[in-house]
Each structure stands twice: as structure tokens, then as C-alpha cells.
Amino acid sequence: MIEVSELSKKVQPTLTRHLFNLAKAYDDVIDFTLGDPDIPPHQAIKDAGCLAIQQGKTRYSQNAGLLELRQVISSYYQRTENLVYDPVSEIMVTVGAMEGLYLALLSILNPGDEVIIPAPYYVNYAQMTLMCHATPVIIDDPTSKDLTFRVEDMERAITDKTKAIIINTPSNPSGKIIPSQKIAEIAAIAKKHDLIVLSDEVYKCLIYDGSKFRSIVEEEGMRERTILINSLSKEFCMTGWRIGYVLAPEEVIATMTKLQENIAACVPLPSQYAAIKALGGEADYSGRMVEIFLKRRNLLVDGISKIPRLACSAPEATFYLMVDISATGMTSEQFAVSLLKEAHVAVVPGITYGKCCDSYVRIAFTLDENKIKEGLQRIHSFIERLV
């Protein structure tokens, strides 16, 4: 038998995927686990990908991605956020935001370095940090009642081994946006302690009710110490196309590009040409996304509010709803497994995202309204059957 590495043993399948896999045992399951939108990409985006294939644009690109696409990304950020990045030296195209995050961590971390990750957090942040032979330091307060973190806790966790902070705004799973004042405080800490900030901003395309988002890169002195990570997966419903991108200082992008040659070579060319169409500014190819998900959010919030022993607050952004199950007396994993077995509804246990979330489950409203209504009915019946 082949002995696998000690590092690989530290990396464990997530509860999100565990529940997703368990759900496959049921033919009639309502699956609220994955953040995988059911809305297809705009036809123009699909046509661009198909045309690239028909025209034989299926070979390798530069490791950093097509220069044409990097120029489009640069123009997109200048047009939408008034941020200027050099397409040649400060932008890289990656196999989804996840590879972008991994390459970024691999580029900056040495064995023994520490990365501060405030909870609630996307579990892959910690696992990727481990894969870089570094140590994730989770800022997690089990007594927290508002699914947020305190900046003072973050600063207390800083040691001489701390190299970086990862923030996710808007947040998966909470749907919260880090307020501008807190962004400024995190920036101040980063500058004071000479830290790098990795800012995962893939959900800023789905913000509701006029809520305000501010990127940490906009803070004075932060552009040169921020690695900004984004993706087309959520904004254009292109999850399976596996295309994301990173904006960062030249030395980081150069290192990531060097590593890319040894990991995936490049992003598939048809996906890159589809991304050029999506981001090119010819039309609003994300269309009615916010409107569609807002209706679903409101449907879910209203439905959950009518179910005994459950509670929730409407998320400011994303397509996730955190449901407070504390009144059931169950842990999040107990609740999720029981709900799946008894009602054939799959949700994610909150413990996946930190101890502060163990009295919650996460629902992804990436299903159509009829399935959401059916899911709500089943959850209601499940709760009524609890002793």
C-alpha cells in the first residue's frame, strides 16, 4: 500500500461536500448546499465559448492568461471601481478564484508562517494555508451572536510569525458586508504590523437593498499590500467554466505566474474567450441576477420567519441565508443530518464555518422559487415533528 503524505492527512473533506454527497442518496432531495447558481450564463457568453472552440482556439495561452483578457479585466475595474491595474504585470487569470487564492498563498508563505482568518470563514482558506506548510489562525468567538468578528481579536492574534490576513467581503456564509469603518481598522492593523491582506471579493456582484461595499484596496497605503481575488463564477453564473483572476502588486503576480506553469499551465482558452465577452462592457451580461436572487432571498426569509423555533436575518449580499436553529437544541451537524434523512432537504451545518456558527445552518438559494417553496414546506414539517 502506498503511504500518503502527512500533509495530505491534515486536509479533510468539508461538511459542505459531505452533505452534498449524502444528498445524492435521495431522488427527491431539495439541495441547498452548494453555492452553484442554477441560472445559465447569458447566451452571448456561451456563444463566445463555443465560437472559440469552433475556431480552434483550444490551445495554450500565456501562463498569466490571454493578454486581451487581462486588458479587459483592467478596463473593467477602471470602469466599475476606478481602480487602475497594469494588465501586463499586475493581473493574472486563474482556474477559478480558488486557484487564485492558493497560488497567492503559495507565493507569499514560508513554512511556519501564520495566516489570520476571521470566522465565519470559508473552510478552504484554512486548508489551503495548511497545504502551504503554514498555520491558519482562526479568530473564532463561540459566544458571538451576530456572525461577525472583532478587529481587536484579530490584532491580539498577531505574532512575529503572522504574514497575512484573509478577509471575505461580502461573506460566505453570513451574507454580511464588512463595514467601511472596520475595513479601515483592518487596513490600519495591516500597515502597523506589515501584513499582506488577501481580499476575496467574489460576492460583491450580489448586494441588496442599497448596502455599501468598500474594498480594502481603496484604503490609503493598501494597494501595495493587498491581493484582490475575484471570479466570474458568481457574477456571470460560470461556476463550471473555472475562471477567476487576481489583481496584485507586480512581484506577487510574477511569482504566481511562475508557479502556474508548474500547476495548471493556464486557464482553458474557451473559458478565457467567454470571459472576454462577459467582462467586455458591450452589455450587462449578468442581467437580472440581483433581482432574481433578491426575490429568492425575500421568499426564504419570509418562509423561515413562519417556522417555529427557527429565525434568520436577511443577508446584505450573496445567495446564502444563515438560519438560527438554537431553539431546537440541536447542533448544526445534528440538525443538517436529521433534516436530510427525515425531510430530504440538504443544508450545510454552520460548524463548517467556525464555532461561532454552530447554532446555524446555511441555505444556498441557488434553486428556483418552486423548489425553495417545497424546501420550506419540508423544513416546516420537520420542525413540527421534533419533540
Side-chain angles (χ1 to χ4, degrees):
M1 179 180 291
I2 294 175
E3 180 68 25
V4 300
S5 70
E6 291 303 312
L7 173 63
S8 70
K9 294 175 185 177
K10 295 179 182 179
V11 178
Q12 299 297 322
T14 67
L15 279 174
T16 305
R17 280 287 175 177
H18 178 60
L19 266 295
F20 173 78
N21 293 334
L22 286 179
K24 295 302 180 186
Y26 305 95
D27 294 333
D28 62 341
V29 72
I30 302 294
D31 191 348
F32 290 124
T33 56
L34 297 188
D36 192 359
D38 60 320
I39 303 166
H42 192 282
Q43 187 62 44
I45 297 173
K46 293 188 287 185
D47 288 344
C50 290
L51 182 62
I53 294 170
Q54 294 298 331
Q55 291 180 341
K57 296 176 179 178
T58 54
R59 305 181 76 178
Y60 293 129
S61 75
Q62 300 97 313
N63 299 127
L66 287 168
L67 179 57
E68 182 183 357
L69 175 53
R70 286 179 279 149
Q71 289 169 333
V72 166
I73 294 168
S74 178
S75 297
Y76 178 74
Y77 266 78
Q78 191 162 5
R79 183 175 73 247
T80 60
E81 300 190 40
N82 199 31
L83 295 175
V84 178
Y85 282 86
D86 184 346
V88 175
S89 61
E90 296 182 315
I91 298 175
M92 179 181 178
V93 184
T94 59
V95 184
M98 289 182 67
E99 195 213 16
L101 178 67
Y102 179 60
L103 287 175
L105 289 169
L106 204 57
S107 296
I108 64 172
L109 294 177
N110 293 309
D113 283 347
E114 295 177 350
V115 178
I116 292 179
I117 304 170
Y121 67 100
Y122 184 48
V123 66
N124 296 110
Y125 299 156
Q127 306 246 53
M128 288 182 187
T129 300
L130 287 171
M131 289 167 64
C132 293
H133 299 276
T135 302
V137 178
I138 310 300
I139 307 304
D140 190 359
D141 180 3
T143 66
S144 174
K145 301 297 182 184
D146 59 357
L147 297 175
T148 61
F149 62 93
R150 297 186 302 181
V151 175
E152 52 266 37
D153 292 339
M154 179 183 287
E155 185 162 27
R156 274 196 293 269
I158 294 172
T159 71
D160 58 0
K161 295 181 180 180
T162 306
K163 187 68 172 286
I165 299 169
I166 301 178
I167 58 173
N168 176 208
T169 180
S171 165
N172 171 14
S174 72
K176 291 179 177 291
I177 300 169
I178 299 177
S180 295
Q181 179 59 38
K182 187 177 280 190
I183 287 289
E185 292 170 359
I186 296 169
I189 289 173
K191 288 182 283 189
K192 176 182 175 182
H193 297 279
D194 191 23
L195 303 178
I196 301 163
V197 174
L198 291 86
S199 185
D200 180 350
E201 302 179 359
V202 301
Y203 291 101
K204 63 186 176 186
C205 55
L206 289 172
I207 294 176
Y208 311 119
D209 305 327
S211 298
K212 301 300 181 183
F213 166 86
R214 181 174 176 82
S215 174
I216 198 165
V217 79
E218 298 178 58
E219 294 293 323
E220 184 179 355
M222 285 305 296
R223 189 187 185 284
E224 58 265 37
R225 64 174 66 250
T226 299
I227 301 173
L228 194 159
I229 297 159
N230 207 340
S231 165
L232 280 78
S233 289
K234 316 305 180 185
E235 186 168 3
F236 298 98
C237 295
M238 295 174 67
T239 51
W241 296 70
R242 304 315 302 136
I243 186 159
Y245 52 90
V246 176
L247 296 83
E250 180 177 353
E251 62 274 17
V252 174
I253 294 298
T255 304
M256 289 177 63
T257 302
K258 178 177 64 177
L259 295 174
Q260 175 72 298
E261 181 181 357
N262 298 280
I263 294 176
C266 64
V267 175
L269 216 53
S271 292
Q272 294 196 56
Y273 280 105
I276 289 170
K277 173 62 72 172
L279 295 168
E282 298 175 20
D284 178 12
Y285 290 125
S286 58
R288 296 171 50 243
M289 287 268 291
V290 172
E291 179 184 341
I292 291 169
F293 285 115
L294 178 61
K295 286 181 65 178
R296 294 179 180 185
R297 182 202 72 168
N298 294 343
L299 176 63
L300 259 176
V301 170
D302 181 62
I304 293 295
S305 70
K306 296 174 181 175
I307 300 177
R309 290 196 270 183
L310 299 185
C312 67
S313 297
E316 298 174 285
T318 76
F319 39 54
Y320 302 117
L321 178 69
M322 291 293 274
V323 179
D324 185 342
I325 61 163
S326 56
T328 68
M330 304 170 77
T331 68
S332 59
E333 188 170 2
Q334 289 170 340
F335 184 96
V337 172
S338 295
L339 180 65
L340 178 59
K341 289 181 177 179
E342 297 182 28
H344 298 182
V345 175
V347 298
V348 181
I351 192 65
T352 305
Y353 310 104
K355 296 175 183 177
C356 62
C357 298
D358 199 22
S359 58
Y360 293 84
V361 294
R362 191 197 75 173
I363 290 177
F365 42 99
T366 50
L367 303 176
D368 66 46
E369 291 184 26
N370 288 331
K371 288 182 179 178
I372 290 173
K373 291 175 182 177
E374 173 65 22
L376 284 166
Q377 290 176 357
R378 294 187 190 184
I379 294 170
H380 199 152
S381 297
F382 169 76
I383 292 295
E384 288 183 332
R385 291 195 298 270
L386 291 179
V387 176

